[in-house]
Amino acid sequence: MSTAQRTEPASGPPPVSGPAPGTGRPLALRLVARPEVGVFLGALAVMVFFLVAAPTLRQGDSMATVLYQCSTIGLMALPVALLMIGGEFDLSSGVAVITSALTASMLSYQLTVNVWTGVLVSLVLSLAIGAFNGWMVVRTGLPSFLVTLGTFLILQGVNLAVTKLVTGNVATDDISDMDGFGQAKAVFASSVGIGGVQVKITVFYWLAFAALATWVLLRTKYGNWIFAVGGSKESARAVGVRVDFTKITLFMLVSFGAWFVGMHNLFAFNTVQSGEGVGQELIYIAAAVIGGCLLTGGSGSAIGPVFGAFMFGMVNQGIVFAGWNPDWFKAFLGVMLLGAVLINLWVQRTATRR
Amino acid sequence: MDRSSRSRSRRLAPVVAVAAAAALTLAGCSSGSGGKKAAEGGSGAPAGKADTPRMTVALVTHQSPGDTFWDIVRKGAEAAAAKDNVKLVYSADPSAGTQANLVQNAVDQKVDGIALTLAKPGAMKDVIAKADAAKIPVLGLNSGLSDWKKLGLLQFFGQDESVAGEALGKKLNEVGAKKIVCVIHEQGNVGLTQRCDGVRKTFSGKTETLYVNGTDRPSVQSTITAKLKQDSSLDHVVTLGAPFALTAVQSVADAGGKAEVATFDLNKDLTGAIKKGTIEFAVDQQPYLQGYLAVDSLWLYKNNGNYSGGGEQPVLTGPAFVDKSNVDRVAEFAAKGTR
């Protein structure tokens, strides 16, 4: 399934401020020099490794389990990557997922309304949080790292305090017997049977959004703006790019992603724990960085984070499928990710060597 | 200049949208089933109020934010405080050093009594000595069954995590389990590790451990699914908290296995799952009782010099097993969030 991703339009290189591929070199080398190809090879290496190490992983439904975890990371890694290309960070993305799920759940339950009302209100609230982040960043000129660190802490506290205030508990009430729940579950958290294997719907959304984001980045004016504001704000402004608009909408894109994943969490599990989501933001950022987005902005792709999230999910689940000693789980995870990133780096170095 | 007007209109947009959504809500797309209207509100057991002089009690635990179990402990403590005319000061931190500082803080405030958890007994030694020097009675709850006497605490309420684990292990032997996986949702958490170790101690079959990322539910689900697929001989999944048990039920369905789910702790949805039979049983150490008794005993000690256990024996609050046979009675209270 990931090989199908290779046929993405890689033509028309975006204005990347990375290593400019030499013109007189063979196409294969020029292709390999692109960061997303390096990460693709890294992901492939990890996958082959675990397919050899873990026999139970070779079944189709095991792969569906791996892809499910990848998709819930990947859905957020995409907008986070776009934001990073645009030169900004969002540390509040992990808890924002839970904020949106809590909002939809509690609003529907407390007012006893159709769950779609909660879903829509929570979308509005999520976008407002994103807009606030973006507005604070462009207005104050503070690093987004600091602004969103503040938002992260605020949301973490608000998630807990408001849930406790409204429900009297630290988790929301079960809304699975309310009107509209079945429809919403079908949209956000159902499974699709493919050749006898149940694949979660988030996997399809993930790939569809990735294709859309790739098209936006490579084929639209807005995509050029993203690269431009991440590369150099002043030059971008000088040539007429709407810098503030671009940055604010990128933050809103991240909060849209948070809303989407939040809705999946809610309709897949019926209730939401208010303390969840902390620490996820780093996983999203990691997936984007593994996928070739620079921490400094201005460079990256939408397809890279897909492989980044795939690599992360693959290692995560692969260790379990391989049945290794769980005490070492986190250490294995770190070593595997470093290894994969080093492969990626080595591929690029070799490819760009004169 | 025109930039500011643009951003002003963008700032207005969410406000307009919220108003529109509110109007939508009021226009009455109300849900015909479920929701708050279907549930009856209710709080803990109503009680009278003592006419003893006002006193202050500090309850200091090793809770991490947003943990259901500790939320119930706190509710029990609050109920006793309301009844006994006690001002309850609750504070918590999972790191031992910070928890010790919070106890020190209570000593500095010259409270009338301190109730604390001994997840890391060594770290509490010095502050307990300081509380003794300040003539403040200190008692233990929940964790520290083997250390409370050594540290010179007045009394102890609760049940060690390891004892709860041992009880669950015995129960697993009774239901004929052969191979289980114990799911730890926070790596390095003392209490959770003790629970699994307790299970391992008394369970005669094979016990595997699995770490999951407790802050991310989809990841919990897929990791448990992966484990069940990797080892199809697993016949029981043991989770250490109610939300994770409910997630594990979905994992079992995804993996197409026949494994049963058993868990520590309760919540409202979990009692529903036990009724339905999707979860086999839960072991409950009655957190409400731990919090309630801790505060109530400090009040008794101050006003009548009584202490439970005579300074020799702990007062056990569990293990209380909840399964199909007794779930109906428990569900009534779990629905209020007090069991």
Side-chain angles (χ1 to χ4, degrees):
Chain A
M1 61 282 115
S2 57
T3 38
Q5 289 301 310
R6 249 188 122 167
T7 52
E8 283 294 336
S11 55
V16 187
S17 54
T23 38
R25 298 159 63 236
L27 175 74
L29 271 184
R30 281 214 309 260
L31 196 69
V32 171
R34 300 185 54 83
E36 55 270 28
V37 177
V39 69
F40 167 73
L41 292 175
L44 198 69
V46 167
M47 190 167 107
V48 170
F49 174 82
F50 277 115
L51 283 173
V52 172
T56 43
L57 189 60
R58 292 168 212 162
Q59 306 153 4
D61 52 356
S62 300
M63 218 57 212
T65 306
V66 173
L67 279 180
Y68 170 49
Q69 160 136 42
C70 300
S71 68
T72 54
I73 297 170
L75 275 168
M76 277 303 284
L78 270 177
V80 166
L82 293 185
L83 180 71
M84 282 173 71
I85 297 171
E88 302 293 348
F89 267 109
D90 190 350
L91 292 180
S92 67
S93 56
V95 282
V97 168
I98 303 302
T99 305
S100 75
L102 288 170
T103 308
S105 167
M106 287 195 289
L107 193 109
S108 306
Y109 185 86
Q110 296 299 329
L111 303 176
T112 319
V113 288
N114 190 305
V115 297
W116 283 105
T117 316
V119 169
L120 291 176
V121 171
S122 118
L123 172 62
V124 172
L125 181 87
S126 291
L127 291 175
I129 293 170
F132 171 80
N133 274 339
W135 179 77
M136 280 290 281
V137 168
V138 301
R139 255 312 156 87
T140 59
L142 284 169
S144 51
F145 195 92
L146 291 177
V147 171
T148 57
L149 181 65
T151 322
F152 161 69
L153 293 170
I154 292 169
L155 289 181
Q156 199 186 341
V158 164
N159 282 355
L160 193 59
V162 172
T163 308
K164 182 94 178 135
L165 197 71
V166 171
T167 67
N169 297 311
V170 290
T172 62
D173 296 286
D174 191 343
I175 60 163
S176 60
D177 54 354
M178 294 181 66
D179 291 2
F181 187 90
Q183 297 165 345
K185 191 178 174 85
V187 172
F188 292 108
S190 54
S191 298
V192 181
I194 295 186
V197 176
Q198 289 292 314
V199 182
K200 298 263 196 249
I201 199 161
T202 47
V203 176
F204 301 100
Y205 282 125
W206 172 42
L207 299 178
F209 282 141
L212 181 71
T214 303
W215 176 78
V216 167
L217 266 184
L218 300 182
R219 289 273 177 274
T220 65
K221 188 168 71 166
Y222 184 72
N224 279 337
W225 283 6
I226 296 176
F227 281 108
V229 298
S232 162
K233 212 164 56 176
E234 283 65 35
S235 330
R237 190 164 277 148
V239 296
V241 173
R242 289 170 60 191
V243 174
D244 291 2
F245 168 81
T246 310
K247 293 218 171 193
I248 291 175
T249 44
L250 281 173
F251 274 104
M252 289 173 79
L253 209 58
V254 172
S255 56
F256 173 81
W259 168 78
F260 197 88
V261 176
M263 290 307 100
H264 167 74
N265 278 8
L266 173 59
F267 293 108
F269 302 107
N270 311 335
T271 59
V272 193
Q273 293 286 314
S274 57
E276 285 179 13
V278 180
Q280 292 299 106
E281 65 282 343
L282 292 177
I283 293 176
Y284 304 143
I285 290 172
V289 174
I290 294 168
C293 294
L294 289 184
L295 289 163
T296 48
S299 165
S301 68
I303 205 69
V306 171
F307 296 129
F310 176 75
M311 200 186 281
F312 194 90
M314 186 74 233
V315 173
N316 214 328
Q317 301 291 330
I319 291 171
V320 177
F321 276 112
W324 294 348
N325 180 350
D327 291 351
W328 290 90
F329 177 79
K330 282 270 158 63
F332 286 140
L333 191 67
V335 169
M336 297 286 307
L337 284 176
L338 266 181
V341 178
L342 285 174
I343 290 179
N344 179 2
L345 186 76
W346 175 79
V347 166
Q348 280 196 60
R349 284 262 169 86
T350 326
T352 52
R353 194 173 293 147
R354 300 284 148 134
Chain B
M1 301 130 267
D2 77 322
R3 212 161 38 76
S4 66
S5 70
R6 251 211 307 276
S7 64
R8 189 168 304 126
S9 68
R10 202 176 305 116
R11 240 173 307 160
L12 268 176
V15 179
V16 172
V18 168
L24 255 180
T25 311
L26 292 174
C29 40
S30 71
S31 173
S33 63
K36 192 174 181 155
K37 281 182 191 160
E40 290 162 4
S43 54
K49 194 165 175 183
D51 56 358
T52 47
R54 186 88 168 150
M55 62 182 279
T56 307
V57 166
L59 173 59
V60 188
T61 74
H62 61 276
Q63 142 176 37
S64 32
D67 188 319
T68 317
F69 180 91
W70 289 104
D71 192 46
I72 300 175
V73 171
R74 194 174 162 185
K75 277 180 185 156
E78 277 165 356
K83 190 172 65 72
D84 295 338
N85 194 17
V86 165
K87 180 179 171 218
L88 179 71
V89 184
Y90 182 82
S91 55
D93 198 281
S95 84
T98 318
Q99 197 197 343
N101 281 341
L102 292 169
V103 178
Q104 178 64 52
N105 197 324
V107 174
D108 295 342
Q109 288 177 40
K110 299 194 176 52
V111 295
D112 299 298
I114 296 174
L116 51 78
T117 60
L118 299 171
K120 302 181 180 84
M124 295 294 147
K125 215 165 164 173
D126 295 352
V127 280
I128 291 171
K130 279 182 185 155
D132 285 345
K135 303 245 178 328
I136 300 171
V138 184
L139 60 79
L141 69 149
N142 178 268
S143 47
L145 189 65
S146 46
D147 297 284
W148 68 277
K149 247 194 304 190
K150 267 183 284 187
L151 291 168
L153 298 193
L154 190 65
Q155 47 199 337
F156 182 86
F157 297 97
Q159 178 203 18
D160 237 15
E161 305 292 7
S162 47
V163 179
E166 286 166 25
L168 192 120
K170 283 185 194 136
K171 179 95 177 176
L172 284 170
N173 291 337
E174 284 167 33
V175 298
K178 294 278 173 289
K179 190 171 188 190
I180 63 164
V181 60
C182 196
V183 183
I184 297 184
H185 55 259
E186 193 185 322
Q187 204 170 344
N189 176 312
V190 179
L192 299 183
T193 313
Q194 283 174 337
R195 283 180 174 186
C196 277
D197 289 346
V199 172
R200 196 172 282 113
K201 200 165 149 187
T202 53
F203 176 56
S204 49
K206 192 164 171 5
T207 310
E208 303 238 332
T209 312
L210 179 69
Y211 292 106
V212 295
N213 175 1
T215 61
D216 181 22
R217 255 229 245 161
S219 145
V220 172
Q221 187 190 332
S222 43
T223 308
I224 299 175
T225 307
K227 184 69 196 173
L228 289 169
K229 282 187 178 145
Q230 182 252 327
D231 188 347
S232 52
S233 64
L234 289 166
D235 53 34
H236 275 74
V237 180
V238 175
T239 56
L240 307 182
F244 304 100
L246 296 158
T247 308
V249 169
Q250 295 194 9
S251 300
V252 171
D254 269 3
K258 288 171 291 296
E260 293 274 4
V261 179
T263 186
F264 288 81
D265 303 347
L266 289 175
N267 70 13
K268 187 167 42 175
D269 303 323
L270 192 93
T271 51
I274 291 177
K275 272 185 197 172
K276 273 199 302 227
T278 49
I279 289 176
E280 199 172 14
F281 60 84
V283 62
D284 177 27
Q285 31 175 329
Q286 308 200 69
Y288 188 86
L289 193 58
Q290 291 177 4
Y292 185 94
L293 289 179
V295 173
D296 210 27
S297 310
L298 284 166
W299 171 80
L300 257 178
Y301 183 73
K302 185 174 172 76
N303 290 297
N304 205 29
N306 299 118
Y307 48 100
S308 311
E312 284 299 318
Q313 291 295 328
V315 177
L316 298 179
T317 59
F321 280 101
V322 179
D323 54 18
K324 259 208 158 97
S325 65
N326 63 352
V327 68
D328 289 341
R329 172 108 179 95
V330 175
E332 205 180 307
F333 304 116
K336 296 176 191 163
T338 54
R339 257 210 82 171

